[in-house]
Structure formats: structure tokens, C-alpha cells
């Protein structure tokens, strides 16, 4: 099979937003405890952060981290995680059926963000709590001093305000599983009031209203319309969350999961713009795709086997080569639509449906999904270009005929170009022809490819490096056209210099 693409540096989609390569740390399972934070670990630094994990995070390259949840935030008292550690209360976490020790909280999270060099993205609890507690938290975090909450932060040892700019107004408030679930009208009114009041403290904030928890939610669309009707002028983003997994052994549809993500983005954009049009507003609401990943939601995870455990193993999905290719395709969609998806978070960062795994008191290693993210974050910077693509299609049960080639081109800031390309066909390799005609004589083409003869191959504690990208030897350049051999079921990072 053959596919062909062409692009021109003059025809751009948008600048790649800095916030597109976000990730997510929730108080869930072992994401925080024995994930990023393990004071007793041999590699732990003075703040109790695991240096082996910090090193992998730098290699992964997230630009922003969302915290502290997720479902967890809807029952969280942020004050519990502040002040002297010996005074912090242990609490039941109703979202995940565990005991929260609060040994890690806001101050520790801010130290983590500064150490890794990422922007914090903080969520407020609009489940069991509301406006007053959100304002208290913001005053504690961002006000310089001279008031009760800001001076309390200083007493706790953090003299300088944290300057957190990006805030999520609750989490998945449409979900029946959410503590304090609300109707669209209730939530829209709350989001509007919380947003307006937060801006009295700090007018420079960027605020995210909760959209639907997935495109499959019964109220999808209607939820966004009502929430934004109530809050359009006071928020900046509407969130989207999506997780994918193969269903009933239908791997072809699974390979095409990005189709659903595209329809999701199109639907939310259209709905937000329709509300804006009705309100005669010239403002645009963008999407914060603040949870996305492959997640085997039906897999037994051991959760709740031991009730109210501290940091048990929960949601520790082990990702296959096929999962990594689907994951890469989701990244391609986020890049292709970065004119309207201007923030996104891979859920999550460590141990919990994560690209990085750890053992308590043991090693840390890269899952298969680590590699597409690291390459996209490293080489997917600059401007996304419009791509004309011609590709064979394959039939799927869920999405009909789908193009085998899924790709995006980025004009990098140093004058080189990167094409991310996934061959979504499970059995058929693809020869990709790239027209280099408009690239000013560039013709040095290299490609890193992730694939595996066994689609189920995984990196595990016992075999930590089974799956990794390798240099692709199948490249020729002739008469201004590059020919790159894309194996079946593969993620490819093609660099043109
Ligand atoms: O990321 C895991 C969970 O998925 C989050 O806590 C929740 O927001 C979503 O349902």
C-alpha cells in the first residue's frame, strides 16, 4: 500500500500551544505515594521526590501538570495538605475507597512543579465544597501576604505566592460517579459564580469549566450548551475527557480511536461556537482536553480488595505496543486540532494509567506509551501545518472506512520539519511518500519507528525495555520525494532537516 502527503510551511493551522503537552497527577493509587513521592526511596531528594522518576519525567517532557484530581478533588479539603506534616489529618477518600495521609499537598506539588519545570494546573473542589473554599485556596496560593490565608502560607514556609494561573472549576461534574454531581444548570451557575469571584482576587487567571466526561455521556452536547450559556463570559476553556480501549476484540476500531476524539473535538467546538453566536459574543471558548489516554476500564485492578488502604495498586494498566500506536494517533489528533484544543493532559503521569511505572523501593521504567509522548513533546513544537493526504482506507465496525495513514506535519522553530505518522492498518505495511518540494531544498530524512511483531508486547518490571522506538532503515529520497516504509501498526517520527 502507498500513501502520499504534501504540506507547505506557508499554510499553517496554529502555533503549537505550550499547554498541549500537559499531564496529570491525582491522589489515586500510587501516582503520588511511591510514584513521584517516596521519601524513603534510595533516589529521593530532600523534598522526598524520587530522582529516578524526576529524570524520566524530564525525558518525557510534560509542560504542565494537573492536580490533585480527578474524582479525588470532589471530596478534597485542600487545607489538609498544608502545614506541618505531623499535624495533617488522615481522611477517607470516597472517590477511590482509600485512606489519604495528606503527606503530600499543595506546597509539595509546587516544589514538584518547580523541580520539573512544569506549569501547575490546579483543580478546585465543587463537589462537597464551593465558592468560599475555592476563594480561600486561591488567596492562600496567589495572594502575596498580609491576609489570613496568604500569611498562613508564609507561616507554612512558602514566602512567595505560587502564581497558579490555570484552574479547573471542579471535575466531571456531569458524572453519576462524581461526589456532588450536578445538573448542567446547577453546575453552569456555580462555575460562573466561582469564576467571577476568583477573578476579583486575580484577574489574570485562565479558568476551565467542566465539559462532558466523555462523548458517550447521555447529555453530551446539551451539557456543554447549558454550562456555557451560564458561564460563557467568565470562563476560558471547556474540558473534554476521553479514554479508549478495544471492545469485544474489535482491534480495527480500536486502532481508529482518534476518529472518536476528532468527532468529540468537532462537537464541543461547534457547541461552544453556537452558544457564543447566540450570545453575540466575539470571544472564543477553547478546549482543555484535560484527560486523555488508553485505559482498560474493565480490567480488574485490585482496587477496594482491601478497603481504605493507603496508596494501593489501582488502575496500573500495562500498555502494549498496539496501545502505544493508538496513543500516538490520539496525540496526532490533538496536534491537528490545536487551533481549538489549546490545553491537554495525558491522564496520568506515574503508575496510574501512566507512561512511567515504579516499584516501591525499586526501579522506575518507561511504558510503551512513554515514547510517542516524549517524541511529540520534543519534536512537535512550532507551527502545525495543513497536510494534504492521500491514503488507502480500511473498514472498521465503529467508524466505517478509515484512512490507514494518520499524520500531522510541524514546522519546527529551528527551520526543520517533523511528520508524525501512524499506520493504523494491523497487517499491511505502508509506503509513505512525502513531497519535499515546498521545503526549501531540505532533504535529510530520518525516522524513528515504534512497532512490534507482537502487538501485545509490553515493558514490565521483569523486562523493562522490550518495546522502544528504533531507527527506521527504510528511507529513500529521490527527485524531491521521500519514501518512508511504515510497518503495519506503527508510530513514526519523521524528521526532515
Ligand atoms: O484519570 C482517572 C479518572 O478518570 C479521573 O479521576 C476522573 O476524572 C476520570 O473519570
Amino acid at each position: 500500500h502507498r500513501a502520499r502527503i504534501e504540506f507547505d510551511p506557508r499554510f499553517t493551522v496554529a502555533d503549537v500551544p505550550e499547554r498541549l503537552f500537559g499531564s496529570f497527577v491525582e491522589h489515586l493509587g500510587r501516582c503520588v505515594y511511591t510514584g513521584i513521592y517516596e521519601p524513603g526511596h534510595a533516589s529521593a531528594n530532600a523534598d522526598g521526590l524520587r530522582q529516578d522518576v524526576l529524570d524520566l519525567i524530564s525525558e518525557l517532557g510534560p509542560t504542565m501538570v494537573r492536580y490533585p484530581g480527578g474524582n479525588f478533588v470532589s471530596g478534597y479539603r485542600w487545607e489538609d495538605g498544608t502545614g506541618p506534616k505531623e499535624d495533617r489529618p488522615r481522611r477517607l477518600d470516597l472517590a477511590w475507597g482509600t485512606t489519604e495521609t495528606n503527606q503530600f499537598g499543595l506546597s509539595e506539588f509546587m516544589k514538584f512543579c518547580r523541580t520539573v519545570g512544569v506549569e501547575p494546573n490546579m483543580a478546585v473542589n465543587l463537589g462537597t465544597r464551593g465558592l468560599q473554599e475555592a476563594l480561600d485556596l486561591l488567596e492562600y496560593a496567589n495572594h502575596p501576604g498580609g491576609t489570613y490565608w496568604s500569611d498562613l502560607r508564609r507561616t507554612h514556609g512558602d514566602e512567595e505566592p505560587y502564581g497558579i494561573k490555570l484552574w479547573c472549576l471542579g471535575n466531571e461534574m456531569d458524572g453519576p460517579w462524581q461526589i456532588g454531581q450536578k445538573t448542567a444548570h446547577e453546575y453552569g451557575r456555580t462555575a460562573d459564580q466561582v469564576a467571577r469571584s476568583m477573578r476579583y482576587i486575580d484577574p489574570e487567571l485562565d479558568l476551565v469549566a467542566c465539559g462532558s466526561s466523555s462523548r458517550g455521556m447521555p447529555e453530551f452536547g446539551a451539557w456543554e450548551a447549558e454550562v456555557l450559556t451560564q458561564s460563557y463570559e467568565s470562563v476560558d476553556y471547556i474540558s473534554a475527557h476521553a479514554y479508549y480501549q478495544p471492545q469485544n476484540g474489535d482491534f480495527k476500531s480500536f486502532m481508529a480511536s482518534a476518529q472518536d476524539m476528532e468527532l468529540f473535538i468537532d462537537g464541543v467546538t461547534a457547541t461552544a461556537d453556537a452558544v457564543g453566536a447566540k450570545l453575540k459574543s466575539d470571544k472564543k471558548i477553547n478546549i482543555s482536553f484535560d484527560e486523555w489516554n488508553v485505559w482498560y476500564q474493565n480490567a480488574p485492578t485490585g482496587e477496594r480488595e482491601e478497603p481504605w488502604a493507603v496508596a494501593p495498586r489501582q488502575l496500573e494498566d500495562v500498555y502494549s505496543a498496539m496501545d502505544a500506536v493508538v496513543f500516538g494517533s490520539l496525540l496526532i489528533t490533538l496536534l491537528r486540532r490545536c487551533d481549538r484544543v489549546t490545553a491537554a493532559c495525558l491522564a496520568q503521569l506515574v503508575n496510574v494509567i501512566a507512561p512511567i511505572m515504579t516499584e516501591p523501593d525499586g526501579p522506575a521504567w518507561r511504558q510503551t506509551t512513554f515514547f510517542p509522548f516524549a517524541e511529540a513533546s520534543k519534536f512537535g513544537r512550532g507551527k502545525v501545518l495543513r497536510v494534504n493526504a492521500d491514503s488507502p482506507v480500511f473498514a472498521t465496525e465503529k467508524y466505517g472506512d478509515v484512512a490507514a495513514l494518520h499524520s500531522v506535519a510541524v514546522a519546527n522553530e529551528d527551520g526543520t520539519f517533523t511528520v508524525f505518522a501512524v499506520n493504523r492498518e494491523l497487517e499491511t505495511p505502508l509506503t509513505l511518500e512525502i513531497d519535499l518540494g515546498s521545503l526549501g531544498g531540505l532533504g535529510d530524512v530520518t525516522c524513528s519507528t515504534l512497532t512490534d511483531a507482537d502487538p501485545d508486547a509490553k515493558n514490565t518490571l521483569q523486562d523493562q525495555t522490550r518495546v522502544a522506538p528504533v531507527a527506521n532503515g527504510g528511507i529513500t529520497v529521490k527527485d524531491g520525494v521521500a519514501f518512508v516504509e511504515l510497518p503495519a501498526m506503527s508510530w513514526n517520527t519523521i524528521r526532515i532537516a
Side-chain angles (χ1 to χ4, degrees):
H1 284 186
R2 281 178 176 270
R4 187 179 173 91
I5 58 170
E6 57 185 15
F7 47 89
D8 185 312
R10 290 172 301 176
F11 303 139
T12 62
V13 173
D15 288 346
V16 178
E18 183 70 17
R19 289 175 175 161
L20 200 68
F21 301 106
S23 185
F24 178 26
V25 166
E26 175 166 6
H27 283 255
L28 195 186
R30 301 193 306 114
C31 187
V32 172
Y33 305 107
T34 73
I36 59 175
Y37 180 77
E38 190 177 346
H41 192 269
S43 80
N45 68 16
D47 297 323
L49 301 170
R50 283 181 61 152
Q51 191 58 51
D52 58 346
V53 175
L54 294 175
D55 291 344
L56 286 178
I57 294 173
S58 323
E59 190 184 321
L60 183 73
T63 50
M64 163 181 84
V65 172
R66 182 167 174 250
Y67 175 83
N71 298 338
F72 172 79
V73 80
S74 295
Y76 183 51
R77 303 170 219 218
W78 64 268
E79 311 90 302
D80 288 352
T82 65
K85 290 195 178 177
E86 59 279 13
D87 298 339
R88 297 187 188 177
R90 291 164 72 94
R91 301 263 192 206
L92 295 184
D93 163 26
L94 307 187
W96 301 106
T98 61
T99 298
E100 173 55 52
T101 64
N102 286 304
Q103 292 303 292
F104 189 97
L106 181 53
S107 176
E108 290 75 28
F109 174 63
M110 290 308 302
K111 285 196 186 93
F112 166 79
C113 289
R114 282 192 292 267
T115 308
V116 185
V118 293
E119 181 185 8
N121 172 359
M122 189 74 193
V124 302
N125 173 357
L126 296 183
T128 58
R129 303 185 120 187
L131 175 54
Q132 184 63 63
E133 294 89 346
L135 295 177
D136 296 345
L137 169 55
L138 178 60
E139 185 181 321
Y140 181 96
N142 283 11
H143 194 67
T147 64
Y148 176 79
W149 290 110
S150 57
D151 284 344
L152 190 61
R153 182 198 68 240
R154 294 166 71 198
T155 312
H156 290 158
D158 289 341
E159 183 60 34
E160 294 303 316
Y162 301 139
I164 303 173
K165 195 154 189 252
L166 181 59
W167 294 79
C168 296
L169 306 174
N171 176 71
E172 295 190 345
M173 297 309 303
D174 62 331
W177 58 86
Q178 201 67 213
I179 300 167
Q181 179 202 11
K182 290 185 167 36
T183 66
H185 184 72
E186 288 166 347
Y187 173 69
R189 292 262 302 148
T190 304
D192 181 54
Q193 302 208 351
V194 173
R196 281 171 196 276
S197 305
M198 286 177 79
R199 289 190 198 286
Y200 292 141
I201 296 180
D202 187 343
E204 299 300 312
L205 302 178
D206 293 331
L207 301 175
V208 186
C210 293
S212 296
S213 301
S214 79
R215 183 168 167 257
M217 294 300 286
E219 272 201 87
F220 171 65
W223 172 274
E224 280 78 2
E226 177 59 17
V227 167
L228 287 177
T229 298
Q230 298 302 326
S231 63
Y232 198 86
E233 292 301 338
S234 50
V235 303
D236 304 286
Y237 295 93
I238 183 94
S239 73
H241 292 180
Y243 294 101
Y244 298 98
Q245 68 183 107
Q247 265 149 359
N248 311 317
D250 178 5
F251 296 109
K252 287 188 175 183
S253 297
F254 178 53
M255 289 300 292
S257 295
Q259 296 291 110
D260 177 86
M261 192 187 232
E262 272 169 31
L263 291 166
F264 196 173
I265 294 167
D266 289 347
V268 175
T269 307
T271 307
D273 289 351
V275 174
K278 249 192 193 166
L279 297 173
K280 302 185 177 62
S281 174
D282 54 10
K283 175 179 172 182
K284 286 268 186 255
I285 300 285
N286 287 322
I287 297 174
S288 172
F289 217 116
D290 51 36
E291 291 186 31
W292 68 268
N293 203 348
V294 172
W295 177 8
Y296 286 75
Q297 299 206 36
N298 311 329
T301 62
E303 59 198 282
R304 293 182 197 260
E305 269 170 19
E306 187 197 333
W308 314 119
V310 173
R313 292 178 190 265
Q314 292 177 311
L315 280 54
E316 298 199 4
D317 284 18
V318 180
Y319 291 113
S320 67
M322 187 191 291
D323 295 332
V325 175
V326 170
F327 177 101
S329 181
L330 301 175
L331 270 167
I332 287 173
T333 291
L334 293 173
L335 279 163
R336 285 173 66 98
R337 297 306 318 275
C338 76
D339 52 334
R340 296 304 295 271
V341 180
T342 54
C345 301
L346 158 60
Q348 299 193 3
L349 184 57
V350 184
N351 288 329
V352 173
I353 46 172
I356 297 170
M357 295 303 285
T358 70
E359 270 301 302
D361 220 0
W365 65 96
R366 303 165 188 81
Q367 292 240 45
T368 57
T369 52
F370 182 98
F371 302 103
F373 192 98
E375 291 181 345
S377 174
K378 186 166 179 192
F379 297 116
R381 305 302 184 98
K383 285 182 194 302
V384 170
L385 304 180
R386 291 188 192 286
V387 174
N388 282 338
D390 201 4
S391 166
V393 297
F394 65 106
T396 70
E397 221 167 88
K398 272 198 190 160
Y399 310 108
D401 282 353
V402 170
L405 174 74
H406 194 211
S407 66
V408 65
V410 181
N412 300 127
E413 281 140 1
D414 62 359
T416 62
F417 295 85
T418 302
V419 173
F420 299 108
V422 161
N423 178 2
R424 302 196 271 200
E425 278 262 30
L426 283 169
E427 271 148 25
T428 318
L430 200 57
T431 303
L432 173 62
E433 300 179 12
I434 307 174
D435 185 338
L436 305 174
S438 63
L439 307 187
L442 296 185
D444 180 11
V445 182
T446 52
C447 175
S448 149
T449 294
L450 186 151
T451 187
D452 204 289
D454 174 8
D456 204 34
K458 296 169 171 139
N459 295 342
T460 59
L461 173 62
Q462 289 72 29
D463 190 354
Q464 296 172 14
T465 54
R466 165 76 170 79
V467 181
V470 294
N472 184 327
I475 303 172
T476 47
V477 179
K478 205 174 155 222
D479 301 330
V481 179
F483 300 83
V484 186
E485 301 302 331
L486 309 183
M489 195 206 72
S490 63
W491 155 265
N492 305 274
T493 300
I494 302 162
R495 301 267 303 125
I496 305 167

